[in-house]
């Protein structure tokens, strides 16, 4: 047997009953005719006739009281004119105005409609006006009404902002039960930001700043769907006005950018080749000679023959920066500590023109494959790819001229690329990242030669992963921060909340999605001065209590001799001290981190700073942490 | 990582000669420093001795790639050239094939080259000669083996295969994992 067709359910074809369009209404003939004479009379002629009649009869005043609520003489004249000009119509109007509407409606329906439809003030006058005039009058009216409404609203707004009240606890609880209303949230965010921007004037009596900030954070969290911790961290990092811009920028993707591979082609040639394939592009900006921005394209940018032949690589604008800061020279020995997927590595190779030596490392073997693929595609021949853990690299080989550390980070600068970071990060993750970064930056510095350069970069905007790490490196190794050589970008924070970093940290650069239209990024360039590890504030601090216990507090701080002695001691004691102190320190900071980041850390810093003051150090020993009063 | 054995060297150079002929010598006698071939995990890498010296400390497990990978020895001890060798094959290639723009796409997806897609071909290409494939803009796209001699190509039908595909740049995307490691 064949298959059975299902003939029962048959979808009706053609437009349904409701799709039929109603024809415009047809008017009876007598009505149509009634309309005619009205249109034949021009406005000017009406006016002229009215004038004439007014002069002749002087009856202008007679009709005034009859009118609904018009007081303008001009209009009365108009109706007067009508009365004289056209007998029949005059009668009609007189009747309509003075006696009753009913009578009129019998004769003339359009008029009736008009009378009922238009509000009193423009009643009979409309009859004599051209449609365009009517319209303009109506528009005027509408505008007036809108203006009034607007003013009212404005006043209401003023009142609101004058005494904008935060929602009470009950209201918030009630709100929590309902799904969030984004428009309300947005307006509230605006209000609260407004209040906070001029707090002393606009605040509500009896409410302090913390309450407003709490409310704002809650609202922002729901509106942009962040978790509470990350939003708090952002609020600490950015001023309020900028915060909103930043969050908004995180919602939109950054433009697609490519980097020309100068080993194989020139930018002009590449641009021409791509334009021929129907790609719309532009140079990325004055600051780079190899970057191109892709606006739109008819072909997939990641699969053109040019791409496959290695003439360019897809790379975010921000990824150019650390390599430009590193400024590798021909013949250098360069280490890229976290290379995958090889964009920056190949950029370094291109700047070195395939001379010198390039060591690309990535801890993840799977990601290292991408590095290999990209390096071969782009024709890099002087590279070695390896998969060590970054922390053990200094044990293996040292003496690099330049080291690039694009550290693994929380990715808070690239939320537009990976929105999962909005909710997946908490304080533990950040401190874990920060810890790893500190280990890696020390490893990077150890790998570098004396006088070598280290560039540290992250795609995070949090201070904990950036300035803090650099500051830590300054404390732990004999390095100094040097200018990155990037002519744009914001200066890094020399202080954050209660923390004061080493003043030279200011030379690092920050990049934001809302100001530079690239991923959030941080670039620091360090120069290694010497291989010896300075005795740091921390070690001194640990030394001190021991000294006091021994009753050895008679040393003269200012005498160079004792200082030298002590440094020696410190170096000797270093190993034992480190063993004893480091685990302690870690434990302490970890447990505190869980509670509240900033506060706990500053606590430690305070302690350190206190000790710092007691001592006068040599050049090397200058502690970067100070307490701001 | 070790130098190639004599047998391996023979197999390897035989393969290379198919594509670049006598120019193999140019790869070894370079004016800008000594270069050598090294075997690592069955793969042959072409690397400068200077770089090699610095990379000796990297142990086998952690070394992924050094210099340029030319290809690998199969389990049956034959040598297979990878697309990564293209950078060195293209400049020295003796026999070349140019593709029409319409055929570019097909080739980089891993297909053989038809007569219809053939733009140009070097004079006096022999049958089964290794050839490097370019597009009309002279960008090298891969390499293969000529299925027909130049003279045969003239009279071939449009759908006849003129070149067998061996490697193409599309592999950078299709087979990134297997290129190396």
């Amino acid at each position: 047997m064949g298959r059975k067709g299902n003939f029962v359910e048959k979808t009706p074809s053609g437009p349904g009953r409701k799709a039929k369009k109603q024809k415009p209404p047809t008017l009876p003939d007598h009505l149509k005719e009634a309309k005619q004479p009205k249109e034949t009379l021009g406005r000017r002629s009406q006016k002229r006739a009215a004038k004439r009649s007014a002069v002749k009869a002087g009856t202008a005043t007679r009709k005034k009281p009859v009118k609904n609520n018009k007081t303008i003489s001009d209009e009365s004249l108009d109706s007067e004119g009508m009365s004289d000009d056209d007998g029949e119509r005059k009668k009609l109007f007189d009747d309509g105005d003075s006696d009753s509407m009913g009578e009129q409606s019998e004769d003339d329906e359009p008029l009736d409609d008009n009378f009922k439809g238009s509000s009193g003030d423009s009643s009979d006058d409309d009859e004599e006006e051209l449609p365009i005039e009517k319209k303009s009058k109506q528009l005027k009216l509408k505008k007036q009404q809108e203006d009034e409404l607007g003013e009212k609203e404005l006043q209401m707004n003023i009142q609101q902002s004058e005494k904008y009240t935060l929602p009470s606890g009950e209201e918030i609880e009630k709100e929590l039960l309902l799904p969030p209303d984004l428009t309300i949230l947005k307006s509230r965010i605006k209000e609260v930001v407004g209040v906070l921007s001029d707090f002393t004037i606009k605040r509500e009596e009896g409410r302090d700043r913390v309450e407003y900030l709490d409310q704002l954070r809650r609202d922002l969290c729901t509106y942009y769907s962040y978790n509470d911790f990350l939003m708090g961290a952002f609020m600490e990092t950015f001023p309020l006005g900028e915060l909103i811009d930043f969050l908004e920028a995180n919602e939109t993707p950054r433009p697609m950018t490519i980097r020309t591979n100068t080993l194989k082609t020139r930018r002009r040639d590449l641009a021409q080749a791509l334009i021929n394939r129907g790609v719309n592009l532009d140079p990325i900006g004055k600051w780079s000679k190899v970057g191109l921005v892709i606006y739109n394209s008819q072909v997939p940018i990641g699969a053109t023959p040019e791409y496959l032949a290695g003439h360019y690589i897809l790379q975010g604008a921000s990824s150019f920066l650390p390599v430009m800061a590193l400024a590798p020279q021909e013949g250098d020995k360069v280490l890229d500590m976290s290379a995958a997927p090889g964009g920056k590595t190949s950029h370094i190779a291109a700047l070195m023109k395939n001379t010198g030596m390039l060591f690309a490392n990535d801890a993840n073997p799977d990601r290292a494959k991408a590095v290999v693929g990209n390096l071969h595609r782009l024709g890099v021949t002087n590279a070695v790819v390896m998969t060590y853990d970054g922390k053990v690299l200094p044990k293996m080989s040292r003496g690099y001229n330049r080291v690039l550390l694009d550290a693994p980070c929380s990715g808070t600068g690239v939320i537009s690329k990976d929105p999962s970071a909005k909710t997946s990060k908490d304080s533990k993750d950040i401190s874990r990242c920060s810890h790893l970064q500190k280990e890696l930056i020390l490893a990077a510095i150890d790998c570098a030669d004396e006088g070598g350069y280290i560039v540290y970069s992250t795609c995070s905007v949090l201070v904990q992963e950036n300035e803090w790490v650099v500051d830590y490196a300054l404390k732990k190794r004999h390095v100094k921060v040097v200018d990155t050589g990037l002519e744009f970008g914001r200066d890094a924070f020399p202080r954050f909340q209660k923390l004061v970093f080493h003043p030279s940290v200011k030379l690092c650069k920050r990049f934001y999605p809302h100001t530079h239209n690239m991923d959030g990024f941080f670039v620091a360039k360090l120069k290694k001065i010497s291989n010896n590890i300075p005795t740091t504030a921390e070690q001194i601090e640990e030394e001190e209590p021991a000294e006091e216990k021994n009753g050895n507090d008679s040393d003269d701080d200012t005498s160079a001799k004792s200082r030298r002695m002590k440094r020696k001691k410190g170096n000797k004691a270093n190993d034992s001290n480190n063993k004893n102190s480091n685990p302690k320190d870690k434990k302490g900071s970890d447990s505190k981190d869980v509670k509240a980041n900033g506060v706990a850390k500053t606590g430690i810093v305070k302690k350190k700073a206190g000790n710092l003051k007691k001592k006068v150090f040599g050049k090397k020993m200058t502690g970067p942490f100070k307490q701001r009063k | 990582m070790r130098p190639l054995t004599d047998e391996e060297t023979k197999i390897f150079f035989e393969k290379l000669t198919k594509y670049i002929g006598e120019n193999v010598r140019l790869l070894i006698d370079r004016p800008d420093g000594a270069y050598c071939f090294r075997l690592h995990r069955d793969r042959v890498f072409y690397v400068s001795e200077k770089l090699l010296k610095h990379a000796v400390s990297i142990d086998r497990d952690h070394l992924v790639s050094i210099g340029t990978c030319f290809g690998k020895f199969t389990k049956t001890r034959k040598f297979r050239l990878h697309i990564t060798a293209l950078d060195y094959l293209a400049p020295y290639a003796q026999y070349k094939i140019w593709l029409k723009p319409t055929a570019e796409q097909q080739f980089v997806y891993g297909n053989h080259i038809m007569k219809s897609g053939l733009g140009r071909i070097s004079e006096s290409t022999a049958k089964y000669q290794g050839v490097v494939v370019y597009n009309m803009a002279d960008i090298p796209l891969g390499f293969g083996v000529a299925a027909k001699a130049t003279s045969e190509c003239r009279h071939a039908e449009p759908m006849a295969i003129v070149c067998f595909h061996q490697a193409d740049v599309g592999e950078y995307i299709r087979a990134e994992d297997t290129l190396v490691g």
Side-chain angles (χ1 to χ4, degrees):
Chain A
M1 305 294 279
R3 287 170 188 269
K4 281 178 189 164
N6 188 10
F7 297 110
V8 184
E9 282 179 339
K10 208 173 186 184
T11 50
S13 59
R17 193 150 43 99
K18 286 187 178 172
K20 273 179 192 160
K21 215 178 170 187
Q22 207 173 13
K23 280 179 192 165
T26 47
L27 291 171
D29 290 355
H30 66 278
L31 291 180
K32 272 183 199 163
E33 275 175 21
K35 231 179 181 176
Q36 291 291 17
K38 191 175 62 185
E39 280 169 1
T40 50
L41 249 189
R43 163 117 174 136
R44 291 261 166 99
S45 59
Q46 279 174 17
K47 265 193 175 172
R48 254 179 273 129
K51 225 179 196 174
R52 243 182 289 134
S53 67
V55 171
K56 219 196 305 182
T59 50
T61 46
R62 200 200 65 185
K63 285 218 70 186
K64 242 183 182 173
V66 179
K67 288 218 149 189
N68 289 0
N69 46 0
K70 282 268 160 128
T71 46
I72 314 160
S73 62
D74 190 38
E75 275 159 18
S76 70
L77 278 176
D78 267 7
S79 59
E80 201 74 15
M82 280 298 296
S83 64
D84 261 19
D85 198 46
D86 187 342
E88 223 182 74
R89 284 202 60 174
K90 178 211 162 189
K91 198 179 172 189
L92 190 136
F93 269 99
D94 279 356
D95 282 348
D97 278 358
S98 58
D99 300 349
S100 70
M101 304 285 236
E103 206 183 308
Q104 204 193 47
S105 67
E106 279 169 47
D107 306 359
D108 206 338
E109 220 175 55
L111 277 180
D112 185 27
D113 270 354
N114 227 336
F115 273 59
K116 277 179 186 168
S118 56
S119 49
D121 56 338
S122 65
S123 56
D124 55 348
D125 200 25
D126 283 1
E127 303 311 315
E128 295 100 41
E129 283 167 350
L130 288 172
I132 198 166
E133 284 174 321
K134 267 191 233 166
K135 237 180 222 169
S136 81
K137 221 168 213 181
Q138 272 172 359
L139 274 178
K140 227 183 230 171
L141 241 174
K142 221 183 208 173
K143 211 192 156 197
Q144 209 178 344
Q145 281 171 351
E146 267 171 20
D147 282 353
E148 271 171 30
L149 271 178
E151 204 161 320
K152 258 186 214 167
E153 208 172 13
L154 198 77
Q155 266 173 352
M156 237 160 63
N157 274 352
I158 290 166
Q159 278 173 346
Q160 259 184 3
S161 59
E162 267 173 359
K163 44 179 179 180
Y164 175 71
T165 49
L166 279 172
S168 64
E170 276 176 32
E171 281 171 317
I172 290 166
E173 268 178 32
K174 214 186 275 174
E175 226 171 73
L176 280 178
L177 298 175
L178 300 167
D181 184 349
L182 291 185
T183 45
I184 291 180
L185 275 181
K186 184 146 201 197
S187 64
R188 193 159 66 201
I189 288 168
K190 225 178 184 178
E191 293 291 351
V192 175
V193 168
V195 172
L196 284 168
S197 65
D198 197 359
F199 194 66
T200 41
I201 293 169
K202 291 180 180 170
R203 67 184 289 193
E204 188 188 344
E205 281 302 317
R207 299 279 198 143
D208 52 1
R209 190 176 277 271
V210 181
E211 285 177 71
Y212 280 96
L213 282 172
D214 273 352
Q215 180 62 38
L216 181 63
R217 197 178 66 228
R218 267 198 302 274
D219 289 345
L220 286 174
C221 279
T222 20
Y223 188 75
Y224 293 103
S225 62
Y226 283 81
N227 70 8
D228 209 43
F229 162 75
L230 198 60
M231 187 54 75
F234 283 154
M235 286 173 78
E236 285 167 4
T237 313
F238 294 105
L240 278 179
E242 215 176 306
L243 175 70
I244 307 289
D245 290 343
F246 173 73
L247 296 175
E248 280 296 332
N250 278 344
E251 302 300 308
T252 53
R254 303 276 78 78
M256 183 195 269
T257 49
I258 60 175
R259 182 177 58 77
T260 318
N261 181 20
T262 46
L263 293 174
K264 290 202 170 184
T265 185
R266 285 176 302 174
R267 183 165 76 169
R268 200 190 313 144
D269 299 340
L270 174 69
Q272 196 51 53
L274 287 178
I275 286 167
N276 289 342
R277 291 196 186 275
V279 180
N280 192 355
L281 46 72
D282 239 357
I284 200 168
K286 272 182 192 162
W287 53 274
S288 170
K289 282 183 177 159
V290 290
L292 289 168
V293 184
I294 308 287
Y295 295 119
N296 55 47
S297 157
Q298 294 165 5
V299 290
I301 289 294
T304 61
E306 279 80 16
Y307 175 84
L308 294 171
H311 288 191
Y312 64 92
I313 184 169
L314 294 171
Q315 198 178 8
S318 56
S319 300
F320 291 41
L321 305 171
V323 181
M324 288 165 65
L326 190 68
Q329 306 297 312
E330 285 177 41
D332 272 352
K333 188 181 171 192
V334 181
L335 171 67
D336 186 353
M337 281 182 72
S338 35
K344 295 185 194 74
T345 318
S346 54
H347 194 180
I348 293 172
L351 288 181
M352 294 201 297
K353 300 190 178 124
N354 252 341
T355 61
M357 280 168 282
L358 177 56
F359 291 80
N361 181 65
D362 200 280
N364 185 343
D366 289 330
R367 278 162 68 78
K369 281 177 190 169
V371 182
V372 175
N374 274 326
L375 289 183
H376 278 93
R377 184 168 61 81
L378 296 170
V380 177
T381 56
N382 61 342
V384 179
V385 182
M386 48 198 185
T387 57
Y388 281 100
D389 180 353
K391 282 169 273 180
V392 305
L393 279 175
K395 281 180 205 157
M396 245 191 50
S397 58
R398 292 175 174 228
Y400 295 97
N401 300 115
R402 284 158 209 271
V403 180
L404 173 63
L405 173 60
D406 184 32
C409 66
S410 59
T412 48
V414 287
I415 286 174
S416 58
K417 254 190 221 165
D418 176 22
S420 69
K422 282 180 180 180
T423 49
S424 61
K425 301 282 180 255
D426 62 1
S427 65
K428 250 186 186 172
D429 292 315
I430 303 295
S431 40
R432 207 176 288 137
C433 267
S434 179
H435 182 75
L436 178 64
Q437 284 155 354
K438 282 174 185 171
E439 284 179 323
L440 286 175
I441 199 172
L442 291 193
I445 293 168
D446 288 343
C447 282
D449 208 0
E450 278 190 18
Y453 289 96
I454 299 104
V455 166
Y456 171 81
S457 66
T458 61
C459 53
S460 170
V461 293
L462 300 181
V463 170
Q464 230 185 336
E465 297 179 72
N466 297 330
E467 284 89 345
W468 202 317
V469 176
V470 173
D471 193 80
Y472 175 85
L474 284 175
K475 219 169 47 168
K476 286 285 191 185
R477 292 289 182 273
H478 197 195
V479 290
K480 65 173 181 184
V481 183
V482 292
D483 189 38
T484 53
L486 303 168
E487 63 254 36
F488 65 112
R490 301 260 187 95
D491 288 346
F493 304 137
R495 62 176 78 90
F496 180 67
Q497 295 186 328
K498 284 174 188 168
L499 295 175
V500 179
F501 302 121
H502 193 274
S504 65
V505 168
K506 213 178 149 197
L507 290 171
C508 308
K509 292 282 184 194
R510 283 173 157 265
F511 299 88
Y512 296 131
H514 55 283
T515 49
H516 305 99
N517 200 15
M518 51 175 76
D519 296 324
F521 221 76
F522 175 84
V523 180
K525 188 174 185 179
L526 304 172
K527 182 172 187 180
K528 185 166 178 176
I529 300 165
S530 74
N531 274 330
N532 37 358
I533 296 168
T535 339
T536 61
E538 214 168 282
Q539 282 156 1
I540 295 280
E541 178 209 333
E542 280 142 18
E543 212 175 324
E544 205 164 311
E547 273 174 17
E548 275 167 14
K549 260 181 215 165
N550 295 337
N552 190 15
D553 46 7
S554 61
D555 56 339
D556 187 5
D557 277 355
T558 47
S559 91
K561 209 178 179 184
S562 69
R563 231 188 296 149
R564 222 179 298 136
M565 290 265 289
K566 225 165 127 198
R567 205 183 299 166
K568 254 189 209 166
K569 236 189 228 168
N571 278 337
K572 269 183 202 167
N574 235 350
D575 297 14
S576 59
N577 262 345
N578 273 341
K579 272 170 205 161
N580 294 335
S581 62
N582 271 352
K584 249 192 257 165
D585 209 350
K586 238 189 258 172
K587 236 191 250 166
S589 63
D590 272 355
S591 61
K592 274 169 194 167
D593 274 349
V594 179
K595 275 184 243 158
N597 258 309
V599 181
K601 290 264 157 138
T602 46
I604 293 172
V605 172
K606 240 184 231 170
K607 207 171 117 200
K608 273 176 214 160
N611 283 318
L612 248 169
K613 259 185 223 159
K614 285 184 198 164
K615 295 270 162 193
V616 182
F617 301 121
K619 240 192 213 166
K620 282 183 195 170
M621 298 148 84
T622 323
F625 271 132
K626 274 176 232 159
Q627 179 65 31
R628 185 158 47 121
K629 287 266 163 163
Chain B
M1 195 164 40
R2 61 170 172 81
L4 304 180
T5 60
D6 286 346
E7 193 196 350
E8 282 165 349
T9 313
K10 202 177 135 232
I11 299 169
F12 173 61
F13 277 94
E14 246 170 42
K15 192 74 163 192
L16 267 189
T17 324
K18 277 186 184 167
Y19 291 89
I20 55 177
E22 283 299 292
N23 292 336
V24 171
R25 195 178 295 127
L26 295 175
L27 286 181
I28 296 160
D29 306 329
R30 281 174 62 148
D32 58 337
Y35 275 71
C36 60
F37 290 99
R38 282 290 178 277
L39 189 81
H40 171 65
R41 291 197 222 167
D42 276 346
R43 278 165 171 77
V44 176
F45 290 94
Y46 179 62
V47 61
S48 82
E49 294 207 336
K50 204 175 96 196
L51 183 60
L52 188 69
K53 237 184 273 167
H54 280 89
V56 281
S57 59
I58 302 168
D59 64 54
R60 191 189 322 193
D61 292 338
H62 288 105
L63 181 67
V64 185
S65 147
I66 174 168
T68 309
C69 176
F70 262 56
K72 71 166 185 182
F73 281 100
T74 62
K75 296 282 191 289
T76 51
R77 306 318 287 173
K78 284 176 187 142
F79 187 76
R80 178 170 294 171
L81 273 173
H82 279 171
I83 184 62
T84 46
L86 186 65
D87 276 343
Y88 287 101
L89 297 186
Y92 301 121
Q94 291 177 316
Y95 298 98
K96 302 174 183 181
I97 280 181
W98 285 266
L99 289 181
K100 288 179 184 165
T102 46
E104 265 175 44
Q105 185 90 337
Q106 285 180 354
F107 181 71
V108 297
Y109 275 64
N111 298 316
H112 300 308
I113 302 170
M114 310 278 193
K115 166 77 195 314
S116 58
L118 186 67
R120 272 201 300 170
I121 185 165
S122 306
E123 282 297 316
S124 70
T125 307
K127 204 172 182 181
Y128 306 133
Q129 166 70 45
V131 289
V132 175
V133 181
Y134 295 80
N135 70 2
M136 293 311 267
D138 268 340
I139 298 173
L141 294 178
F143 47 87
V145 170
K148 285 183 166 45
T150 308
S151 52
E152 287 173 319
C153 282
R154 291 211 179 102
H155 311 292
E157 301 164 28
M159 298 312 283
I161 291 171
V162 293
C163 176
F164 297 119
H165 165 272
Q166 281 198 330
D168 66 83
V169 287
E171 282 172 36
Y172 283 122
I173 292 179
R174 293 205 306 276
E176 192 177 59
D177 288 351
T178 52
L179 279 181
V180 172

